[in-house]
């Protein structure tokens, strides 16, 4: 009983609730915040950190963004504004970047969920305590309305990324989806769907 309670505490401490709010992600933010907030309003600051912490994960993030955005994505960067705040920029490969604020709601949500899945242990606000072995520090991303504002391609790419990250032991994804999202999840090898309708 005690072991089960300890496992529950460890699991709950590593849960990151991710509810991206596109209107909150459009504004520039102060730099230095490396923990993704629940509403993802500090996405630009977290993206700034992913560039410097892990080039491999950042490259995977760019590839996932390219797979799910309407126009090609060749890079994701951050601009420092005159007032010291930072704003994220999506590089389209044409020499001009698209500011995060100009992306549509679906692309912003997609990008935030991709960051939550790929950015690694430093992205979640609830870190496992140091006494927990690293093998048990798998994060859980909890996303209510996972497929909200996403098209079928974006949902498919996020599900595939979640399966890959889960298989590597980096993260678990638990989300609610619409019927269309559930159908896509059923068609994704490695994803499981629990129907809550009696």
């Amino acid at each position: 009983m005690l072991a089960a309670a300890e496992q529950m505490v460890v699991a709950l401490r590593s849960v990151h609730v991710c509810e991206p709010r596109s209107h909150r992600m459009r504004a520039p933010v102060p730099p230095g915040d490396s923990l993704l907030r629940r509403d993802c309003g500090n996405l630009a600051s977290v993206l700034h950190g992913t560039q410097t912490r892990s080039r491999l994960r950042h490259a995977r993030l760019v590839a996932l963004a390219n797979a799910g955005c309407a126009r090609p994505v060749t890079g994701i960067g951050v601009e420092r504004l005159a007032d010291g705040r930072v704003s994220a920029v999506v590089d389209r490969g044409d020499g001009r970047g698209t500011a995060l604020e100009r992306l549509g709601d679906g692309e912003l949500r997609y990008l935030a969920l991709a960051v939550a899945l790929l950015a690694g242990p430093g992205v979640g606000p609830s870190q496992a305590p140091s006494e927990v072995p690293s093998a048990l520090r798998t994060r859980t991303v909890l996303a209510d309305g996972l497929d909200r504002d996403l098209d079928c391609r974006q949902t498919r790419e996020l599900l595939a990324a979640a399966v890959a990250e889960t298989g590597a032991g980096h993260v678990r994804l638990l989300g609610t989806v619409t019927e269309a999202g559930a159908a896509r999840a059923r068609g994704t090898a490695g994803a499981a769907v629990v129907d809550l309708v009696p």
Side-chain angles (χ1 to χ4, degrees):
M1 183 71 161
L2 182 58
E6 287 176 348
Q7 289 177 2
M8 180 62 81
V9 168
V10 168
L12 289 175
R13 289 178 79 173
S14 64
V15 170
H16 171 58
V17 179
C18 187
E19 272 187 283
R21 303 288 182 196
S22 44
H23 67 280
R24 300 290 305 265
M25 293 182 269
R26 288 190 165 95
V29 294
D33 195 356
S34 64
L35 303 177
L36 191 62
R37 294 186 192 138
R38 178 183 189 136
D39 65 1
C40 304
N42 63 336
L43 182 61
S45 182
V46 173
L47 286 169
H48 182 261
T50 65
Q51 281 183 302
T52 56
R53 276 198 318 267
S54 173
R55 292 190 187 278
L56 179 62
R57 285 186 179 170
H58 190 75
R60 288 184 9 228
L61 176 62
V62 170
L64 189 56
N66 185 53
C69 288
R71 291 179 50 217
V73 174
T74 59
I76 300 172
V78 175
E79 288 182 345
R80 187 174 292 270
L81 306 178
D83 63 2
R85 295 181 300 164
V86 293
S87 178
V89 177
V90 175
D91 185 354
R92 300 295 190 175
D94 57 4
R96 295 176 301 177
T98 302
L100 207 65
E101 65 197 44
R102 298 188 54 96
L103 297 180
D105 289 351
E107 286 184 323
L108 279 173
R109 282 184 49 80
Y110 176 81
L111 189 57
L113 289 164
V115 168
L117 286 173
L118 299 179
V123 77
S126 48
Q127 299 303 302
S130 59
E131 68 270 10
V132 177
S134 60
L136 300 177
R137 293 186 193 183
T138 302
R139 294 176 308 112
T140 299
V141 175
L142 183 61
D144 187 24
L146 174 69
D147 59 342
R148 184 181 326 122
D149 294 331
L150 303 183
D151 62 30
C152 59
R153 178 176 46 106
Q154 291 168 329
T155 303
R156 184 182 64 243
E157 294 294 337
L158 277 178
L159 289 172
V163 168
E165 291 297 300
T166 299
H170 296 153
V171 70
R172 293 181 209 93
L173 173 64
L174 178 62
T176 60
V177 292
T178 61
E179 282 299 323
R184 286 183 205 99
R186 285 186 188 98
T188 304
V193 177
V194 177
D195 192 348
L196 299 179
V197 179

